[in-house]
Each structure stands twice: as structure tokens, then as C-alpha cells.
Amino acid sequence: MSASSAILEEQCETSDGNGNVAFCSVAELFGKLVKERIRLGQQLTAMNEYGTYYNQIFSDINTKAFSFPAVVKGRIKQSIQRQKKQNHLFLSSIRSMKRLTRRILIKHLEAVLREENSPPPVFTWITAGDSSAAGHGNLYSQSYTAVLQQTVQAHFEALGIHFEAKNYGMGNYNSAPELALCMNEIFGDDIDVLMWDFASLQPSSEPVHKSVLWAHRAGIHPTRPILFYYDLFGERFLKLQEFDGIGSVLMNADALQSIRQSMPDSNTVADPMHVLPEAIRYYRCGQSIEGGIRCDDSMRNFVCYADEHISEDEALDDNLCRIQKFDTNPCIDARFQVSWHPGWQDHKLKGHLLGNFLITALDDAVIELEQLKASHDPGTILKHLLQEEEKDRRTFKRTFVGKDYWNIKGMDWKLLLRGESICHTPLLPSKSRLQGLTTESDLVGDEFGNFDTGFNQFLMKAPEGVLPLAFDMNDRQHCQLLEVDHKDFFLVREQDGRVSTLVPNERELEVYKRSTRPEGIIMVCLKLCPLNKCPAAYVSIDEISQSTRLFVNVDGKPVTGVRKVDNCNILVGERGIRWGRKDQFQLDFHINGPGNLYVLKVSSIIVF
């Protein structure tokens, strides 16, 4: 179907075999969406899903956003009070919701106007988060991101859009500085929605500086994604409203907890095996959800199993929910099935709720299209919407929020928050690893394999002077159907002598093109250790300043110290933190020790 013939409304219900869509009337588009909504409703009302509880769970208050005006002193507080009273699950400003529907409309119009045999436009959702978001303890296909994909895919296809949800959650990592500064290289350069789901590692009481950095880096991302936050309603989300030019939506963690507690109590339902639908059977037992309750144990992210804290009789009942929590068949040896990781039912609930919210946004986009279509053709509408996107981009450039949150001696705050950078990272999953950019490999794969895996750290031979990318087999599980996030690293071993790397490499320079000259500031982030407790053999980069064990050179010049930025470190030389305004730098690492004992594990190297 050509661009000219695509606009004929009478062709809306026909297909050319390539998935091309025509410029349908609003009634026809709604008809397509209603058809898919009916199919979804039939699926979710079955006894292997939510049965007769479907309407209660997926009511308007749980699937439509409570929208407030632009942030105006006084009015925003009134909106907050009203939101808390009504306990809406989703919260967003009116402007942010318009940005979300605009993004959907742009994709639809691109589908209408695309040339024959060209692929459909892709709407990309990326989940960034901690181990709970990654789905640890469950099959990868049971994560809420996978459920979201299954929920909305057909609805987006009804508008000619291919929906793709990618789970890039990483256990033990929070959102900044490393992940925020490596946003393009990890999450890719085409993102429509970026989900922030780090609340279990970044409690609401935490200062907002990491979230501010996250928002700034998202704002300068090539596609400026809509930011979704799964979080408590508080200062972090309110600070986000000060950023003009980017969209943001909150999935209210308090409201989701209320939905959980509204589920039927399997302890009081007679014969729950036959009465309750599968998706909520043994989901809530008394006050516990999947056997877990809030507790004061920070080592368990404040979620403990109920049967550890209550009487023996009560424990017997609550243990049924705990037993049903994980179902990883055929993977019988799955790890990470702990109290603070949600089970398959909770992921299913969260994924379906997010999906129903996006389906409602599709409806809003079609309504918006009707208003625009009254006086314009699809090409003109698309041009107008793209102009609005560009206007938001310019507006964001004029918005400066939180410039005092990150103070690094010798480094302009604008450079950290918005400066161009290239990140050399071994983390999985990430675009750079999967596409072979990090290792300059011809192997291109996906999160399940076919990419350059690097070297097993326990079997690795001497790297012959090159800084190797390595992995720890203990970080992998035997069954490949489980989580895909792995904290691989660049490995410096005492016995290997001096090892070197060029950052960024040629492939990274080609893909992540700069528009400005580099400042020559180099940041090295170290591999995170569980609970921040590293083995005694790990060398800290702080030891550079002691000049006794770890030695690092940049282009042959010695690094004399570092300036800490959370788990990352800015390299300092005799002339400060700038190493010259050039595209690439050679880094040399060497550990001096008594034998073959000490190692340094580098997570990412970032060049500004």
C-alpha cells in the first residue's frame, strides 16, 4: 500500500498482506480496539486468570490516570490531597498524558504513511529496575514486563504499531549514577517509555539526587522517553514535575498495595482451590501477600515471610501462599526465591494493570486523532505532532532542575547531568553487549544468547596485555529460562601484569557519535558486591592514591587519585580531572602484589 492510497478510509478493514494500515475513521479504529478489549476481557475473566474479580481489579480507578494541572504553587498540593484520598493507581499531569498520547499518534501515523513492504513502527517499552523488576525467582517470561507485552500487543497492532517490551532490570543496581550515565549504551537509542523500578533499593526517604540525574539523562536521550515510575507518592515524583518538556507517569506503590489487600483472603474462602481463580488463589493469606509481610529487616528489603513472625496455627495458613508463590517449572533449581522478590501472581497483576493503563491511553489517542483529523490530512497531522515534540525538546533544554545535587570538584554540573558521554560497559542485558559493540565482535544476539560472552574468570588464560571482559559462572543459573541480567566485568588480575584498553573503542565511536568535543573526563565504575561487602581479594580503586598496590595510567600519565561519585570514580591526574580534549584514551591497569591474589573488577568506563 502506498502512502497516497493508505489514507482511503474505505480500505481500513482490508490488508495488503504486509500489515499496512489505512487512515481509518475514528469509529473504525475504536471498533478494532473494542474487539481486542473484548478478547482480553474474555481471557482475563476465565478461571485460570481473575474470573468474576476482573471488574473489581481492573476498574477505572486502577487503569486510568488521575491527571493534575501543570505544577502551580498551591494547586499541586490540592491535587496531591485528592489523589491520596481517591488512591488512584496511576498519577500524571495533563501535559504528560498528552505527551504519551502524542507519542502513540506519531507511531500510528507513521504506520499509515509508511511505504509498501516497510516494517511497522515500533513502540518500545524498557523496564529498568532492580532484582524485583528483573523478575528474579521467576521465569523470565513471568516478569511483569513479559505480561505487559502479552496484554497490549494486539491492541497496538490494531493501530498498525508493533509493541515491544524489554526487561532490562538488573539485580543489585540502583538507577544512578552508572545506569543513568550509560542509558543509551544499556537501554538503546529508541525508547518510547522508560520504566523506573528501583524503589526496593532506593527508598522514598532517599535524597532525590539520583532521580534528578535519571531525568536529566532521559531528557537528552535521542528519543526522550516518557518516564514511568513505580514508587511511593512523594518527593521523588514531585521533583520530576519540575522538569518541563518530558512526560512522567507514577504507578503508585501504595495504591497497588491496596489492590493487593482487596484480593480475597484464601484463609477465609471455603475450598479456594475450586472457588478462586488461579491468578488470585493463595495470593493473599490474611495480611500476607504471597506469604510476605512488611517487617523491619533491611537485609530483606523490609519484606519477610509471615510464617516466620506469627503463631504456628497462623503460619500453617500463610504458608500456603508462600508455597504457591513461585512456579518455575521446568526449571527445578531456580535461585533467588526469597521473601522480597514478587512471585508470578504479583508480576501477572502488575503487568496486566500496566497493560490496561496503556490500552486506555490508546483510546485517548484515537479521541485526540478525531479532533485533529477534522481539518487535516495524516501527513499534516504528523508534521504538527513532530513539531510539538521538537518544541518540548527545546523547552527541556531551558529547564534546569537540581543543579546543586551533584557537586564534583572541577566538573561543571551541566556536564554530569546533560553532557555528552560514551559508556564502555560489560553489563547484561545492554545494547552495547548484545550488538557486539563493547567487544568489537561480529556476534550479534539477544538477551538469550548468540553474543560475545567474554571469558570465564576461573578458566581464563593470560590476556596478553588486553583488558579482558569476563564473567562469573556463579552469576549464571543452569536453566536458561530464568533471569538474563548478569553483572559481567572487565577483569584486572595481579598475575596478568599490565593490561590496557582503548575507550571508547572504534565501534562505540561510530555508533554513539558526538556532536561536541570531549571534555576528557574519565569515570570508572566498579562492580557492585552484594550488600556492598566485597571479598578481601578485591582491590579498591581508592588504593590508587596510596601508590602501593593499584596503578592506573591514562595515555601513559599516572592517575594519582579519584573523586568518588557513588560507586563510580573520576580519575584524577597531576593536572586535575581533565586528560585532554580527544576522542579516545588508553587506560592501563596494573596490580602490584605478593602473588596471584588480588583483582579489580570494573563495571563501566564512561568518557565525557
Side-chain angles (χ1 to χ4, degrees):
M1 185 182 296
S2 67
S4 58
S5 61
I7 67 173
L8 299 177
E9 292 185 10
E10 60 268 23
Q11 292 182 337
C12 178
E13 297 297 335
T14 66
S15 171
D16 64 356
N18 297 308
N20 291 40
V21 296
F23 195 46
C24 306
S25 68
V26 167
E28 289 166 323
L29 288 176
F30 263 127
K32 290 172 176 284
L33 293 176
V34 168
K35 187 183 300 183
E36 295 304 331
R37 191 182 283 270
I38 291 173
R39 289 177 183 171
L40 179 63
Q42 291 171 341
Q43 171 194 332
L44 297 185
T45 53
M47 279 299 288
N48 66 336
E49 292 284 352
Y50 298 96
T52 57
Y53 293 90
Y54 169 78
N55 290 329
Q56 168 194 325
I57 298 169
F58 300 100
S59 62
D60 284 352
I61 198 171
N62 294 335
T63 58
K64 292 184 178 181
F66 174 85
S67 297
F68 54 80
V71 178
V72 178
K73 188 175 181 180
R75 294 180 66 185
I76 182 63
K77 292 184 178 180
Q78 296 173 9
S79 297
I80 294 168
Q81 292 169 353
R82 180 182 171 192
Q83 189 277 335
K84 284 188 174 181
K85 182 179 179 181
Q86 295 188 354
N87 211 26
H88 280 260
L89 179 59
F90 293 99
L91 175 68
S92 179
S93 71
I94 295 172
R95 288 181 181 177
S96 288
M97 288 306 299
K98 285 186 175 294
R99 290 179 178 118
L100 177 58
T101 56
R102 183 205 303 157
R103 186 69 62 101
I104 294 170
L105 281 180
I106 288 173
K107 300 290 183 178
H108 169 64
L109 292 169
E110 288 174 344
V112 169
L113 298 171
R114 66 190 175 99
E115 296 296 330
E116 185 175 358
N117 296 323
S118 61
V122 179
F123 190 101
T124 304
W125 171 292
I126 297 290
T127 295
D130 51 31
S131 57
S132 294
H136 284 197
N138 301 275
L139 299 175
Y140 185 72
S141 60
Q142 292 173 326
S143 71
Y144 73 78
T145 305
V147 175
L148 169 64
Q149 170 88 34
Q150 299 159 10
T151 305
V152 306
Q153 187 168 355
H155 294 78
F156 275 83
E157 286 178 355
L159 299 187
I161 306 167
H162 176 67
F163 182 87
E164 190 168 343
K166 300 179 181 181
N167 185 354
Y168 277 35
M170 295 185 186
N172 206 39
Y173 271 75
N174 56 37
S175 62
E178 184 176 355
L179 297 188
L181 294 173
C182 298
M183 193 171 284
N184 291 16
E185 293 82 356
I186 292 177
F187 306 125
D189 52 11
D190 186 10
I191 312 172
D192 294 293
V193 171
L194 181 60
M195 177 70 156
W196 183 100
D197 192 351
F198 297 90
S200 63
L201 287 180
Q202 296 179 234
S204 58
S205 58
E206 176 192 76
V208 299
H209 64 293
K210 291 182 180 179
S211 183
V212 166
L213 178 57
W214 183 266
H216 276 287
R217 302 306 290 192
I220 64 170
H221 185 274
T223 54
R224 286 185 314 104
I226 308 294
L227 299 179
F228 272 57
Y229 271 59
Y230 174 64
D231 197 9
L232 295 174
F233 187 83
E235 181 63 25
R236 191 151 43 205
F237 185 67
L238 291 178
K239 179 60 66 174
L240 196 58
Q241 304 315 301
E242 297 179 24
F243 287 84
D244 200 1
I246 57 174
S248 58
V249 178
L250 177 72
M251 187 181 196
N252 187 350
D254 275 338
L256 181 56
Q257 184 63 17
S258 296
I259 295 172
R260 293 177 177 129
Q261 290 295 338
S262 72
M263 297 296 184
D265 182 357
S266 293
N267 289 348
T268 61
V269 174
D271 194 14
M273 281 297 295
H274 296 93
V275 173
L276 292 180
E278 184 178 354
I280 55 177
R281 183 188 308 147
Y282 296 119
Y283 175 68
R284 176 182 163 225
C285 292
Q287 294 302 307
S288 76
I289 301 298
E290 296 184 316
I293 58 172
R294 297 292 298 174
C295 64
D296 294 328
D297 191 344
S298 61
M299 300 291 288
R300 304 188 191 191
N301 289 338
F302 304 102
V303 179
C304 302
Y305 279 126
D307 55 12
E308 299 172 338
H309 297 269
I310 56 181
S311 68
E312 185 174 340
D313 291 338
E314 291 174 311
L316 186 61
D317 291 332
D318 283 311
N319 197 42
L320 292 174
C321 281
R322 178 176 176 177
I323 291 172
Q324 298 287 331
K325 180 175 182 177
F326 297 107
D327 181 9
T328 54
N329 186 50
C331 301
I332 59 175
D333 56 350
R335 291 184 290 170
F336 311 126
Q337 295 183 345
V338 294
S339 59
W340 59 91
H341 285 159
W344 68 271
Q345 290 171 304
D346 202 67
H347 276 281
K348 179 184 280 285
L349 175 64
K350 191 172 177 180
H352 281 315
L353 286 167
L354 284 166
N356 275 269
F357 174 81
L358 285 185
I359 291 169
T360 300
L362 290 175
D363 293 340
D364 294 340
V366 173
I367 293 172
E368 178 73 14
L369 179 62
E370 172 67 2
Q371 299 172 357
L372 295 170
K373 185 181 171 185
S375 56
H376 299 290
D377 63 86
T380 303
I381 296 173
L382 179 59
K383 181 179 179 180
H384 166 71
L385 295 177
L386 292 174
Q387 288 173 342
E388 291 296 306
E389 285 283 310
E390 183 57 33
K391 185 184 299 183
D392 270 349
R393 186 183 299 277
R394 293 195 300 268
T395 299
F396 177 80
K397 287 182 178 180
R398 298 192 298 267
T399 303
F400 298 105
V401 177
K403 63 181 181 180
D404 298 325
Y405 288 132
W406 294 86
N407 294 309
I408 303 171
K409 183 179 178 181
M411 188 175 186
D412 189 337
W413 65 270
K414 288 184 181 179
L415 183 59
L416 180 71
L417 297 182
R418 297 193 178 183
E420 286 187 288
S421 62
I422 295 180
C423 174
H424 184 61
T425 184
L427 293 175
L428 284 173
S430 68
K431 171 186 173 178
S432 286
R433 279 297 305 279
L434 301 181
Q435 295 188 4
L437 305 180
T438 303
T439 55
E440 296 187 282
S441 169
D442 293 331
L443 293 175
V444 177
D446 57 25
E447 57 266 36
F448 301 105
N450 299 321
F451 56 86
D452 186 350
T453 59
F455 301 97
N456 185 328
Q457 69 166 342
F458 301 115
L459 304 176
M460 189 179 75
K461 298 180 181 179
E464 298 182 354
V466 177
L467 179 67
L469 189 154
F471 63 88
D472 183 350
M473 273 303 298
N474 294 323
D475 185 42
R476 265 72 167 165
Q477 297 203 58
H478 296 299
C479 184
Q480 295 183 350
L481 301 178
L482 300 167
E483 78 281 342
V484 300
D485 59 298
H486 303 295
K487 277 64 72 177
D488 294 352
F489 44 87
F490 301 114
L491 179 61
V492 182
R493 299 187 301 185
E494 181 181 338
Q495 65 263 38
D496 293 332
R498 187 178 300 274
V499 290
S500 303
T501 187
L502 189 66
V503 291
N505 62 40
E506 295 295 335
R507 291 278 297 279
E508 291 165 338
L509 270 180
E510 179 183 354
V511 173
Y512 305 116
K513 295 181 175 64
R514 293 179 178 270
S515 61
T516 59
R517 290 183 64 193
E519 291 287 331
I521 297 176
I522 302 171
M523 180 182 288
V524 175
C525 305
L526 300 187
K527 184 181 186 298
L528 295 174
C529 300
L531 304 177
N532 293 319
K533 296 181 179 179
C534 296
Y538 279 31
V539 174
S540 169
I541 203 163
D542 295 338
E543 298 187 36
I544 290 176
S545 59
Q546 299 172 13
S547 301
T548 58
R549 183 177 296 164
L550 176 64
F551 299 88
V552 181
N553 289 339
V554 177
D555 292 338
K557 301 173 184 178
V559 175
T560 58
V562 296
R563 292 183 184 159
K564 300 287 291 184
V565 187
D566 202 70
N567 70 303
C568 299
N569 307 268
I570 294 177
L571 302 185
V572 180
E574 295 175 351
R575 297 187 177 182
I577 63 174
R578 284 173 168 77
W579 297 89
R581 306 198 68 176
K582 50 186 293 192
D583 289 330
Q584 294 173 296
F585 299 87
Q586 179 173 309
L587 271 65
D588 304 322
F589 296 88
H590 174 59
I591 296 176
N592 183 31
N596 298 333
L597 179 62
Y598 294 104
V599 297
L600 176 73
K601 295 185 176 182
V602 176
S603 179
S604 296
I605 303 173
I606 306 164
V607 177
F608 293 87

